[in-house]
Amino acid sequence: GAVVSQHPSRVICKSGTSVKIECRSLDFQATTMFWYRQFPKQSLMLMATSNEGSKATYEQGVEKDKFLINHASLTLSTLTVTSAHPEDSSFYICSARQGGGYFGPGTRLTVL
Amino acid sequence: GENVEQHPSTLSVQEGDSAVIKCTYSDSASNYFPWYKQELGKGPQLIIDIRSNVGEKKDQRIAVTLNKTAKHFSLHITETQPEDSAVYFCAASNDYKLSFGAGTTVTVRA
């Protein structure tokens, strides 16, 4: 199947700092990527849809100024968590579609 | 929007037995139904999917059935093995956004 990578896999940061997470489609081009958030023992919650060359579309309740998304190329989307707080600690997962929906391995963010 | 319900939330089976997970969806426009397996600390892995023009699909020990009239679809795992232990998610899509079920934690007892 298609391969999606994420970097970093884990990140620990201090409250108030910003963290950037990269999502890459390794063997296909993705005009659209999706960013999810997952709390322990819960399902995936869609945060936003990343569109190559245009603005991201955010789900209701997701602050676009806090979760900055940039889809600069057909193989790379980035999610920046700005001014991170402990409540932003979560598992962030990206996804890209090529026929089926393929997910990255996730990024565990811990904000101290 | 789409609402996907998944049952059961937990499932414990003896090794070698079958496991069945059921999902229902609300949006009749949904036409793509993937199933994901997620192991602890990892991203979801696509294990099988089905489109609305197909009623059943099988891949070795895994099969998925779809009833569009009743708006439900099911995952069947036969001859379960310990490595099948994981959380399984169903999802429904109209070729754009995926809506996920709440997940089923499957434990295969050796």
PDB file of all heavy atoms in Angstrom, chain A residues 34 36 38 42-44 46 49 51 59 91 93 97 99-105, chain B residues 32 36 38 41-44 46 49 51 89 93 95-98 100-103:
ATOM      1  N   PHE A  34      -5.058  15.025   5.352  1.00  0.00           N
ATOM      2  CA  PHE A  34      -5.938  15.261   6.490  1.00  0.00           C
ATOM      3  C   PHE A  34      -5.130  15.156   7.786  1.00  0.00           C
ATOM      4  O   PHE A  34      -4.252  14.311   7.912  1.00  0.00           O
ATOM      5  CB  PHE A  34      -7.068  14.225   6.509  1.00  0.00           C
ATOM      6  CG  PHE A  34      -7.892  14.214   5.254  1.00  0.00           C
ATOM      7  CD1 PHE A  34      -7.542  13.409   4.181  1.00  0.00           C
ATOM      8  CD2 PHE A  34      -9.025  15.008   5.138  1.00  0.00           C
ATOM      9  CE1 PHE A  34      -8.294  13.397   3.012  1.00  0.00           C
ATOM     10  CE2 PHE A  34      -9.783  14.996   3.980  1.00  0.00           C
ATOM     11  CZ  PHE A  34      -9.411  14.197   2.920  1.00  0.00           C
ATOM     12  N   TYR A  36      -5.471  14.567  11.903  1.00  0.00           N
ATOM     13  CA  TYR A  36      -6.336  14.051  12.956  1.00  0.00           C
ATOM     14  C   TYR A  36      -5.643  14.209  14.310  1.00  0.00           C
ATOM     15  O   TYR A  36      -4.425  14.273  14.409  1.00  0.00           O
ATOM     16  CB  TYR A  36      -6.634  12.559  12.734  1.00  0.00           C
ATOM     17  CG  TYR A  36      -7.471  12.251  11.523  1.00  0.00           C
ATOM     18  CD1 TYR A  36      -6.889  12.134  10.260  1.00  0.00           C
ATOM     19  CD2 TYR A  36      -8.842  12.036  11.627  1.00  0.00           C
ATOM     20  CE1 TYR A  36      -7.638  11.835   9.138  1.00  0.00           C
ATOM     21  CE2 TYR A  36      -9.600  11.724  10.508  1.00  0.00           C
ATOM     22  CZ  TYR A  36      -8.989  11.629   9.278  1.00  0.00           C
ATOM     23  OH  TYR A  36      -9.737  11.332   8.178  1.00  0.00           O
ATOM     24  N   GLN A  38      -5.890  12.327  18.225  1.00  0.00           N
ATOM     25  CA  GLN A  38      -6.444  11.168  18.924  1.00  0.00           C
ATOM     26  C   GLN A  38      -6.020  11.194  20.385  1.00  0.00           C
ATOM     27  O   GLN A  38      -4.820  11.174  20.686  1.00  0.00           O
ATOM     28  CB  GLN A  38      -5.972   9.868  18.263  1.00  0.00           C
ATOM     29  CG  GLN A  38      -6.616   8.617  18.827  1.00  0.00           C
ATOM     30  CD  GLN A  38      -6.165   7.348  18.129  1.00  0.00           C
ATOM     31  OE1 GLN A  38      -5.034   7.243  17.694  1.00  0.00           O
ATOM     32  NE2 GLN A  38      -7.060   6.366  18.018  1.00  0.00           N
ATOM     33  N   GLN A  42      -9.480   6.713  22.492  1.00  0.00           N
ATOM     34  CA  GLN A  42     -10.575   7.343  21.765  1.00  0.00           C
ATOM     35  C   GLN A  42     -10.354   7.193  20.257  1.00  0.00           C
ATOM     36  O   GLN A  42      -9.294   6.766  19.808  1.00  0.00           O
ATOM     37  CB  GLN A  42     -10.698   8.817  22.138  1.00  0.00           C
ATOM     38  CG  GLN A  42     -11.144   9.041  23.570  1.00  0.00           C
ATOM     39  CD  GLN A  42     -11.484  10.489  23.840  1.00  0.00           C
ATOM     40  OE1 GLN A  42     -11.765  11.267  22.928  1.00  0.00           O
ATOM     41  NE2 GLN A  42     -11.463  10.866  25.112  1.00  0.00           N
ATOM     42  N   SER A  43     -11.365   7.560  19.517  1.00  0.00           N
ATOM     43  CA  SER A  43     -11.278   7.468  18.061  1.00  0.00           C
ATOM     44  C   SER A  43     -10.523   8.666  17.499  1.00  0.00           C
ATOM     45  O   SER A  43     -10.108   9.563  18.234  1.00  0.00           O
ATOM     46  CB  SER A  43     -12.685   7.401  17.476  1.00  0.00           C
ATOM     47  OG  SER A  43     -12.632   7.098  16.098  1.00  0.00           O
ATOM     48  N   LEU A  44     -10.346   8.671  16.195  1.00  0.00           N
ATOM     49  CA  LEU A  44      -9.649   9.770  15.537  1.00  0.00           C
ATOM     50  C   LEU A  44     -10.624  10.923  15.295  1.00  0.00           C
ATOM     51  O   LEU A  44     -11.737  10.712  14.816  1.00  0.00           O
ATOM     52  CB  LEU A  44      -9.078   9.306  14.196  1.00  0.00           C
ATOM     53  CG  LEU A  44      -7.879   8.370  14.252  1.00  0.00           C
ATOM     54  CD1 LEU A  44      -8.306   6.938  14.513  1.00  0.00           C
ATOM     55  CD2 LEU A  44      -7.075   8.447  12.975  1.00  0.00           C
ATOM     56  N   LEU A  46     -11.065  14.375  13.212  1.00  0.00           N
ATOM     57  CA  LEU A  46     -10.539  15.177  12.119  1.00  0.00           C
ATOM     58  C   LEU A  46     -10.405  16.632  12.568  1.00  0.00           C
ATOM     59  O   LEU A  46     -11.357  17.221  13.068  1.00  0.00           O
ATOM     60  CB  LEU A  46     -11.453  15.093  10.896  1.00  0.00           C
ATOM     61  CG  LEU A  46     -11.020  15.897   9.673  1.00  0.00           C
ATOM     62  CD1 LEU A  46      -9.710  15.356   9.103  1.00  0.00           C
ATOM     63  CD2 LEU A  46     -12.104  15.859   8.594  1.00  0.00           C
ATOM     64  N   THR A  49      -8.500  19.740   6.882  1.00  0.00           N
ATOM     65  CA  THR A  49      -8.150  19.196   5.576  1.00  0.00           C
ATOM     66  C   THR A  49      -7.138  20.135   4.942  1.00  0.00           C
ATOM     67  O   THR A  49      -7.398  21.345   4.823  1.00  0.00           O
ATOM     68  CB  THR A  49      -9.394  19.085   4.687  1.00  0.00           C
ATOM     69  OG1 THR A  49     -10.355  18.255   5.354  1.00  0.00           O
ATOM     70  CG2 THR A  49      -9.050  18.490   3.341  1.00  0.00           C
ATOM     71  N   ASN A  51      -5.058  21.382   1.792  1.00  0.00           N
ATOM     72  CA  ASN A  51      -5.176  21.410   0.335  1.00  0.00           C
ATOM     73  C   ASN A  51      -3.934  22.041  -0.277  1.00  0.00           C
ATOM     74  O   ASN A  51      -3.565  23.167   0.082  1.00  0.00           O
ATOM     75  CB  ASN A  51      -6.407  22.209  -0.083  1.00  0.00           C
ATOM     76  CG  ASN A  51      -7.677  21.691   0.559  1.00  0.00           C
ATOM     77  OD1 ASN A  51      -8.079  20.555   0.332  1.00  0.00           O
ATOM     78  ND2 ASN A  51      -8.302  22.516   1.373  1.00  0.00           N
ATOM     79  N   GLU A  59     -12.160  21.931  10.820  1.00  0.00           N
ATOM     80  CA  GLU A  59     -13.413  21.432  11.373  1.00  0.00           C
ATOM     81  C   GLU A  59     -13.897  22.386  12.471  1.00  0.00           C
ATOM     82  O   GLU A  59     -13.114  23.154  13.042  1.00  0.00           O
ATOM     83  CB  GLU A  59     -13.233  20.027  11.929  1.00  0.00           C
ATOM     84  CG  GLU A  59     -12.884  18.999  10.863  1.00  0.00           C
ATOM     85  CD  GLU A  59     -13.963  18.866   9.814  1.00  0.00           C
ATOM     86  OE1 GLU A  59     -15.111  18.517  10.166  1.00  0.00           O
ATOM     87  OE2 GLU A  59     -13.638  19.113   8.631  1.00  0.00           O
ATOM     88  N   PHE A  91      -1.948  12.669  20.397  1.00  0.00           N
ATOM     89  CA  PHE A  91      -1.354  11.910  19.290  1.00  0.00           C
ATOM     90  C   PHE A  91      -1.908  12.523  18.010  1.00  0.00           C
ATOM     91  O   PHE A  91      -3.126  12.536  17.800  1.00  0.00           O
ATOM     92  CB  PHE A  91      -1.745  10.444  19.434  1.00  0.00           C
ATOM     93  CG  PHE A  91      -0.970   9.482  18.594  1.00  0.00           C
ATOM     94  CD1 PHE A  91       0.410   9.502  18.557  1.00  0.00           C
ATOM     95  CD2 PHE A  91      -1.623   8.517  17.830  1.00  0.00           C
ATOM     96  CE1 PHE A  91       1.131   8.600  17.788  1.00  0.00           C
ATOM     97  CE2 PHE A  91      -0.912   7.600  17.057  1.00  0.00           C
ATOM     98  CZ  PHE A  91       0.466   7.647  17.040  1.00  0.00           C
ATOM     99  N   ILE A  93      -2.063  12.581  13.902  1.00  0.00           N
ATOM    100  CA  ILE A  93      -1.876  11.650  12.800  1.00  0.00           C
ATOM    101  C   ILE A  93      -2.323  12.310  11.501  1.00  0.00           C
ATOM    102  O   ILE A  93      -3.374  12.954  11.460  1.00  0.00           O
ATOM    103  CB  ILE A  93      -2.706  10.364  12.983  1.00  0.00           C
ATOM    104  CG1 ILE A  93      -2.606   9.844  14.417  1.00  0.00           C
ATOM    105  CG2 ILE A  93      -2.255   9.271  12.011  1.00  0.00           C
ATOM    106  CD1 ILE A  93      -3.576   8.712  14.719  1.00  0.00           C
ATOM    107  N   ARG A  97      -4.962  10.312   0.710  1.00  0.00           N
ATOM    108  CA  ARG A  97      -5.802   9.369  -0.029  1.00  0.00           C
ATOM    109  C   ARG A  97      -5.188   9.043  -1.379  1.00  0.00           C
ATOM    110  O   ARG A  97      -4.790   9.910  -2.133  1.00  0.00           O
ATOM    111  CB  ARG A  97      -7.197   9.970  -0.276  1.00  0.00           C
ATOM    112  CG  ARG A  97      -8.016  10.211   0.966  1.00  0.00           C
ATOM    113  CD  ARG A  97      -8.641   8.943   1.506  1.00  0.00           C
ATOM    114  NE  ARG A  97      -9.579   8.319   0.607  1.00  0.00           N
ATOM    115  CZ  ARG A  97     -10.885   8.544   0.604  1.00  0.00           C
ATOM    116  NH1 ARG A  97     -11.399   9.415   1.450  1.00  0.00           N
ATOM    117  NH2 ARG A  97     -11.680   7.906  -0.228  1.00  0.00           N
ATOM    118  N   GLY A  99      -6.817   6.237  -3.638  1.00  0.00           N
ATOM    119  CA  GLY A  99      -7.729   5.112  -3.607  1.00  0.00           C
ATOM    120  C   GLY A  99      -8.182   4.955  -2.178  1.00  0.00           C
ATOM    121  O   GLY A  99      -9.140   5.560  -1.740  1.00  0.00           O
ATOM    122  N   GLY A 100      -7.456   4.194  -1.417  1.00  0.00           N
ATOM    123  CA  GLY A 100      -7.753   4.051  -0.001  1.00  0.00           C
ATOM    124  C   GLY A 100      -7.153   5.183   0.813  1.00  0.00           C
ATOM    125  O   GLY A 100      -6.370   5.970   0.327  1.00  0.00           O
ATOM    126  N   GLY A 101      -7.541   5.248   2.088  1.00  0.00           N
ATOM    127  CA  GLY A 101      -6.985   6.252   2.984  1.00  0.00           C
ATOM    128  C   GLY A 101      -5.820   5.674   3.756  1.00  0.00           C
ATOM    129  O   GLY A 101      -5.970   4.689   4.467  1.00  0.00           O
ATOM    130  N   TYR A 102      -4.652   6.281   3.639  1.00  0.00           N
ATOM    131  CA  TYR A 102      -3.453   5.778   4.301  1.00  0.00           C
ATOM    132  C   TYR A 102      -2.976   6.774   5.344  1.00  0.00           C
ATOM    133  O   TYR A 102      -2.975   7.985   5.112  1.00  0.00           O
ATOM    134  CB  TYR A 102      -2.354   5.527   3.259  1.00  0.00           C
ATOM    135  CG  TYR A 102      -2.757   4.449   2.287  1.00  0.00           C
ATOM    136  CD1 TYR A 102      -3.384   4.767   1.088  1.00  0.00           C
ATOM    137  CD2 TYR A 102      -2.561   3.106   2.595  1.00  0.00           C
ATOM    138  CE1 TYR A 102      -3.800   3.771   0.209  1.00  0.00           C
ATOM    139  CE2 TYR A 102      -2.961   2.111   1.720  1.00  0.00           C
ATOM    140  CZ  TYR A 102      -3.582   2.443   0.534  1.00  0.00           C
ATOM    141  OH  TYR A 102      -3.995   1.456  -0.325  1.00  0.00           O
ATOM    142  N   PHE A 103      -2.588   6.245   6.476  1.00  0.00           N
ATOM    143  CA  PHE A 103      -2.209   7.084   7.604  1.00  0.00           C
ATOM    144  C   PHE A 103      -0.722   7.022   7.869  1.00  0.00           C
ATOM    145  O   PHE A 103      -0.066   6.014   7.622  1.00  0.00           O
ATOM    146  CB  PHE A 103      -2.961   6.642   8.864  1.00  0.00           C
ATOM    147  CG  PHE A 103      -4.391   7.060   8.878  1.00  0.00           C
ATOM    148  CD1 PHE A 103      -5.352   6.334   8.194  1.00  0.00           C
ATOM    149  CD2 PHE A 103      -4.786   8.199   9.564  1.00  0.00           C
ATOM    150  CE1 PHE A 103      -6.679   6.731   8.183  1.00  0.00           C
ATOM    151  CE2 PHE A 103      -6.117   8.599   9.565  1.00  0.00           C
ATOM    152  CZ  PHE A 103      -7.061   7.874   8.878  1.00  0.00           C
ATOM    153  N   GLY A 104      -0.219   8.126   8.411  1.00  0.00           N
ATOM    154  CA  GLY A 104       1.145   8.149   8.889  1.00  0.00           C
ATOM    155  C   GLY A 104       1.231   7.431  10.233  1.00  0.00           C
ATOM    156  O   GLY A 104       0.215   7.055  10.813  1.00  0.00           O
ATOM    157  N   PRO A 105       2.440   7.276  10.745  1.00  0.00           N
ATOM    158  CA  PRO A 105       2.633   6.543  12.008  1.00  0.00           C
ATOM    159  C   PRO A 105       2.277   7.357  13.245  1.00  0.00           C
ATOM    160  O   PRO A 105       2.250   6.814  14.351  1.00  0.00           O
ATOM    161  CB  PRO A 105       4.126   6.224  11.994  1.00  0.00           C
ATOM    162  CG  PRO A 105       4.730   7.283  11.148  1.00  0.00           C
ATOM    163  CD  PRO A 105       3.705   7.616  10.104  1.00  0.00           C
TER     164      PRO A 105
ATOM    165  N   TYR B  32     -17.580   4.611   0.380  1.00  0.00           N
ATOM    166  CA  TYR B  32     -16.288   3.971   0.617  1.00  0.00           C
ATOM    167  C   TYR B  32     -16.192   3.629   2.097  1.00  0.00           C
ATOM    168  O   TYR B  32     -16.430   4.491   2.958  1.00  0.00           O
ATOM    169  CB  TYR B  32     -15.153   4.913   0.192  1.00  0.00           C
ATOM    170  CG  TYR B  32     -13.771   4.400   0.518  1.00  0.00           C
ATOM    171  CD1 TYR B  32     -13.283   3.239  -0.079  1.00  0.00           C
ATOM    172  CD2 TYR B  32     -12.959   5.067   1.424  1.00  0.00           C
ATOM    173  CE1 TYR B  32     -12.027   2.764   0.224  1.00  0.00           C
ATOM    174  CE2 TYR B  32     -11.698   4.595   1.740  1.00  0.00           C
ATOM    175  CZ  TYR B  32     -11.240   3.450   1.131  1.00  0.00           C
ATOM    176  OH  TYR B  32      -9.992   2.970   1.427  1.00  0.00           O
ATOM    177  N   TYR B  36      -9.591  -0.195   9.661  1.00  0.00           N
ATOM    178  CA  TYR B  36      -8.223   0.043  10.088  1.00  0.00           C
ATOM    179  C   TYR B  36      -7.904  -0.746  11.342  1.00  0.00           C
ATOM    180  O   TYR B  36      -8.755  -0.952  12.204  1.00  0.00           O
ATOM    181  CB  TYR B  36      -8.002   1.538  10.369  1.00  0.00           C
ATOM    182  CG  TYR B  36      -8.102   2.405   9.139  1.00  0.00           C
ATOM    183  CD1 TYR B  36      -9.314   2.963   8.762  1.00  0.00           C
ATOM    184  CD2 TYR B  36      -6.983   2.651   8.353  1.00  0.00           C
ATOM    185  CE1 TYR B  36      -9.416   3.746   7.617  1.00  0.00           C
ATOM    186  CE2 TYR B  36      -7.072   3.440   7.209  1.00  0.00           C
ATOM    187  CZ  TYR B  36      -8.292   3.976   6.854  1.00  0.00           C
ATOM    188  OH  TYR B  36      -8.391   4.746   5.732  1.00  0.00           O
ATOM    189  N   GLN B  38      -5.219  -0.596  14.516  1.00  0.00           N
ATOM    190  CA  GLN B  38      -4.271   0.293  15.163  1.00  0.00           C
ATOM    191  C   GLN B  38      -3.650  -0.389  16.371  1.00  0.00           C
ATOM    192  O   GLN B  38      -4.356  -0.790  17.296  1.00  0.00           O
ATOM    193  CB  GLN B  38      -4.937   1.609  15.596  1.00  0.00           C
ATOM    194  CG  GLN B  38      -3.938   2.634  16.126  1.00  0.00           C
ATOM    195  CD  GLN B  38      -4.575   3.957  16.495  1.00  0.00           C
ATOM    196  OE1 GLN B  38      -5.743   4.019  16.868  1.00  0.00           O
ATOM    197  NE2 GLN B  38      -3.805   5.041  16.386  1.00  0.00           N
ATOM    198  N   GLY B  41       0.381   3.034  20.107  1.00  0.00           N
ATOM    199  CA  GLY B  41       1.433   3.980  19.765  1.00  0.00           C
ATOM    200  C   GLY B  41       1.717   4.121  18.286  1.00  0.00           C
ATOM    201  O   GLY B  41       2.675   4.785  17.897  1.00  0.00           O
ATOM    202  N   LYS B  42       0.875   3.513  17.439  1.00  0.00           N
ATOM    203  CA  LYS B  42       1.099   3.573  15.992  1.00  0.00           C
ATOM    204  C   LYS B  42      -0.105   4.185  15.288  1.00  0.00           C
ATOM    205  O   LYS B  42      -1.186   4.286  15.851  1.00  0.00           O
ATOM    206  CB  LYS B  42       1.372   2.175  15.450  1.00  0.00           C
ATOM    207  CG  LYS B  42       2.631   1.524  16.024  1.00  0.00           C
ATOM    208  CD  LYS B  42       2.866   0.170  15.380  1.00  0.00           C
ATOM    209  CE  LYS B  42       4.139  -0.477  15.918  1.00  0.00           C
ATOM    210  NZ  LYS B  42       4.397  -1.816  15.302  1.00  0.00           N
ATOM    211  N   GLY B  43       0.108   4.565  14.037  1.00  0.00           N
ATOM    212  CA  GLY B  43      -0.986   5.071  13.239  1.00  0.00           C
ATOM    213  C   GLY B  43      -1.869   3.939  12.737  1.00  0.00           C
ATOM    214  O   GLY B  43      -1.462   2.778  12.722  1.00  0.00           O
ATOM    215  N   PRO B  44      -3.095   4.248  12.351  1.00  0.00           N
ATOM    216  CA  PRO B  44      -3.998   3.207  11.826  1.00  0.00           C
ATOM    217  C   PRO B  44      -3.468   2.622  10.519  1.00  0.00           C
ATOM    218  O   PRO B  44      -2.941   3.344   9.677  1.00  0.00           O
ATOM    219  CB  PRO B  44      -5.303   3.978  11.578  1.00  0.00           C
ATOM    220  CG  PRO B  44      -5.193   5.218  12.392  1.00  0.00           C
ATOM    221  CD  PRO B  44      -3.737   5.552  12.421  1.00  0.00           C
ATOM    222  N   LEU B  46      -4.521   0.486   7.168  1.00  0.00           N
ATOM    223  CA  LEU B  46      -5.628   0.017   6.352  1.00  0.00           C
ATOM    224  C   LEU B  46      -5.499  -1.487   6.136  1.00  0.00           C
ATOM    225  O   LEU B  46      -4.483  -1.971   5.646  1.00  0.00           O
ATOM    226  CB  LEU B  46      -5.622   0.737   5.001  1.00  0.00           C
ATOM    227  CG  LEU B  46      -6.693   0.332   3.998  1.00  0.00           C
ATOM    228  CD1 LEU B  46      -8.079   0.739   4.488  1.00  0.00           C
ATOM    229  CD2 LEU B  46      -6.416   0.964   2.636  1.00  0.00           C
ATOM    230  N   ASP B  49     -10.848  -2.679   2.547  1.00  0.00           N
ATOM    231  CA  ASP B  49     -11.858  -1.655   2.278  1.00  0.00           C
ATOM    232  C   ASP B  49     -12.841  -2.178   1.244  1.00  0.00           C
ATOM    233  O   ASP B  49     -12.576  -3.165   0.548  1.00  0.00           O
ATOM    234  CB  ASP B  49     -11.225  -0.341   1.810  1.00  0.00           C
ATOM    235  CG  ASP B  49     -10.316  -0.501   0.589  1.00  0.00           C
ATOM    236  OD1 ASP B  49     -10.316  -1.594  -0.034  1.00  0.00           O
ATOM    237  OD2 ASP B  49      -9.600   0.453   0.257  1.00  0.00           O
ATOM    238  N   ARG B  51     -16.142  -0.773  -1.528  1.00  0.00           N
ATOM    239  CA  ARG B  51     -16.883   0.329  -2.107  1.00  0.00           C
ATOM    240  C   ARG B  51     -18.341  -0.076  -2.272  1.00  0.00           C
ATOM    241  O   ARG B  51     -18.683  -1.263  -2.246  1.00  0.00           O
ATOM    242  CB  ARG B  51     -16.262   0.753  -3.435  1.00  0.00           C
ATOM    243  CG  ARG B  51     -14.865   1.312  -3.246  1.00  0.00           C
ATOM    244  CD  ARG B  51     -14.347   2.107  -4.421  1.00  0.00           C
ATOM    245  NE  ARG B  51     -13.050   2.700  -4.089  1.00  0.00           N
ATOM    246  CZ  ARG B  51     -12.912   3.894  -3.532  1.00  0.00           C
ATOM    247  NH1 ARG B  51     -13.968   4.619  -3.247  1.00  0.00           N
ATOM    248  NH2 ARG B  51     -11.707   4.366  -3.268  1.00  0.00           N
ATOM    249  N   PHE B  89     -10.906   0.058  13.772  1.00  0.00           N
ATOM    250  CA  PHE B  89     -11.827   1.155  13.491  1.00  0.00           C
ATOM    251  C   PHE B  89     -12.481   0.948  12.136  1.00  0.00           C
ATOM    252  O   PHE B  89     -11.805   0.618  11.159  1.00  0.00           O
ATOM    253  CB  PHE B  89     -11.089   2.495  13.446  1.00  0.00           C
ATOM    254  CG  PHE B  89     -10.562   2.972  14.759  1.00  0.00           C
ATOM    255  CD1 PHE B  89      -9.241   2.759  15.115  1.00  0.00           C
ATOM    256  CD2 PHE B  89     -11.396   3.635  15.649  1.00  0.00           C
ATOM    257  CE1 PHE B  89      -8.746   3.202  16.332  1.00  0.00           C
ATOM    258  CE2 PHE B  89     -10.913   4.085  16.867  1.00  0.00           C
ATOM    259  CZ  PHE B  89      -9.593   3.875  17.209  1.00  0.00           C
ATOM    260  N   SER B  93     -17.026   7.074   4.095  1.00  0.00           N
ATOM    261  CA  SER B  93     -16.613   8.270   3.371  1.00  0.00           C
ATOM    262  C   SER B  93     -17.423   8.425   2.094  1.00  0.00           C
ATOM    263  O   SER B  93     -17.858   7.444   1.496  1.00  0.00           O
ATOM    264  CB  SER B  93     -15.130   8.157   3.027  1.00  0.00           C
ATOM    265  OG  SER B  93     -14.742   9.160   2.101  1.00  0.00           O
ATOM    266  N   ASP B  95     -15.968   9.721  -0.473  1.00  0.00           N
ATOM    267  CA  ASP B  95     -14.792   9.991  -1.297  1.00  0.00           C
ATOM    268  C   ASP B  95     -14.062  11.250  -0.898  1.00  0.00           C
ATOM    269  O   ASP B  95     -13.251  11.755  -1.651  1.00  0.00           O
ATOM    270  CB  ASP B  95     -15.158  10.072  -2.786  1.00  0.00           C
ATOM    271  CG  ASP B  95     -15.125   8.705  -3.443  1.00  0.00           C
ATOM    272  OD1 ASP B  95     -14.522   7.802  -2.852  1.00  0.00           O
ATOM    273  OD2 ASP B  95     -15.714   8.541  -4.510  1.00  0.00           O
ATOM    274  N   TYR B  96     -14.362  11.763   0.269  1.00  0.00           N
ATOM    275  CA  TYR B  96     -13.611  12.918   0.753  1.00  0.00           C
ATOM    276  C   TYR B  96     -13.210  12.656   2.198  1.00  0.00           C
ATOM    277  O   TYR B  96     -12.258  11.956   2.463  1.00  0.00           O
ATOM    278  CB  TYR B  96     -14.430  14.187   0.575  1.00  0.00           C
ATOM    279  CG  TYR B  96     -13.624  15.453   0.764  1.00  0.00           C
ATOM    280  CD1 TYR B  96     -12.526  15.723  -0.046  1.00  0.00           C
ATOM    281  CD2 TYR B  96     -13.957  16.361   1.762  1.00  0.00           C
ATOM    282  CE1 TYR B  96     -11.772  16.859   0.137  1.00  0.00           C
ATOM    283  CE2 TYR B  96     -13.197  17.503   1.938  1.00  0.00           C
ATOM    284  CZ  TYR B  96     -12.113  17.756   1.126  1.00  0.00           C
ATOM    285  OH  TYR B  96     -11.371  18.892   1.307  1.00  0.00           O
ATOM    286  N   LYS B  97     -13.966  13.181   3.135  1.00  0.00           N
ATOM    287  CA  LYS B  97     -13.598  12.993   4.529  1.00  0.00           C
ATOM    288  C   LYS B  97     -14.042  11.632   5.046  1.00  0.00           C
ATOM    289  O   LYS B  97     -15.109  11.140   4.686  1.00  0.00           O
ATOM    290  CB  LYS B  97     -14.227  14.090   5.384  1.00  0.00           C
ATOM    291  CG  LYS B  97     -13.645  15.467   5.123  1.00  0.00           C
ATOM    292  CD  LYS B  97     -14.098  16.478   6.150  1.00  0.00           C
ATOM    293  CE  LYS B  97     -15.551  16.821   6.031  1.00  0.00           C
ATOM    294  NZ  LYS B  97     -15.928  17.946   6.921  1.00  0.00           N
ATOM    295  N   LEU B  98     -13.199  11.066   5.907  1.00  0.00           N
ATOM    296  CA  LEU B  98     -13.548   9.822   6.584  1.00  0.00           C
ATOM    297  C   LEU B  98     -14.199  10.135   7.929  1.00  0.00           C
ATOM    298  O   LEU B  98     -13.720  10.982   8.668  1.00  0.00           O
ATOM    299  CB  LEU B  98     -12.299   8.987   6.829  1.00  0.00           C
ATOM    300  CG  LEU B  98     -11.661   8.269   5.636  1.00  0.00           C
ATOM    301  CD1 LEU B  98     -10.313   7.697   6.036  1.00  0.00           C
ATOM    302  CD2 LEU B  98     -12.566   7.159   5.139  1.00  0.00           C
ATOM    303  N   PHE B 100     -15.131   8.168  11.427  1.00  0.00           N
ATOM    304  CA  PHE B 100     -14.717   6.952  12.097  1.00  0.00           C
ATOM    305  C   PHE B 100     -15.716   6.474  13.150  1.00  0.00           C
ATOM    306  O   PHE B 100     -16.409   7.282  13.786  1.00  0.00           O
ATOM    307  CB  PHE B 100     -13.373   7.171  12.795  1.00  0.00           C
ATOM    308  CG  PHE B 100     -12.213   7.167  11.852  1.00  0.00           C
ATOM    309  CD1 PHE B 100     -11.839   8.319  11.193  1.00  0.00           C
ATOM    310  CD2 PHE B 100     -11.499   6.003  11.617  1.00  0.00           C
ATOM    311  CE1 PHE B 100     -10.776   8.321  10.302  1.00  0.00           C
ATOM    312  CE2 PHE B 100     -10.436   5.988  10.734  1.00  0.00           C
ATOM    313  CZ  PHE B 100     -10.076   7.152  10.079  1.00  0.00           C
ATOM    314  N   GLY B 101     -15.758   5.172  13.328  1.00  0.00           N
ATOM    315  CA  GLY B 101     -16.448   4.597  14.469  1.00  0.00           C
ATOM    316  C   GLY B 101     -15.591   4.783  15.708  1.00  0.00           C
ATOM    317  O   GLY B 101     -14.435   5.235  15.633  1.00  0.00           O
ATOM    318  N   ALA B 102     -16.126   4.403  16.847  1.00  0.00           N
ATOM    319  CA  ALA B 102     -15.453   4.630  18.131  1.00  0.00           C
ATOM    320  C   ALA B 102     -14.324   3.626  18.386  1.00  0.00           C
ATOM    321  O   ALA B 102     -13.513   3.837  19.275  1.00  0.00           O
ATOM    322  CB  ALA B 102     -16.467   4.591  19.270  1.00  0.00           C
ATOM    323  N   GLY B 103     -14.299   2.550  17.621  1.00  0.00           N
ATOM    324  CA  GLY B 103     -13.236   1.562  17.786  1.00  0.00           C
ATOM    325  C   GLY B 103     -13.660   0.343  18.579  1.00  0.00           C
ATOM    326  O   GLY B 103     -14.550   0.415  19.433  1.00  0.00           O
TER     327      GLY B 103
END
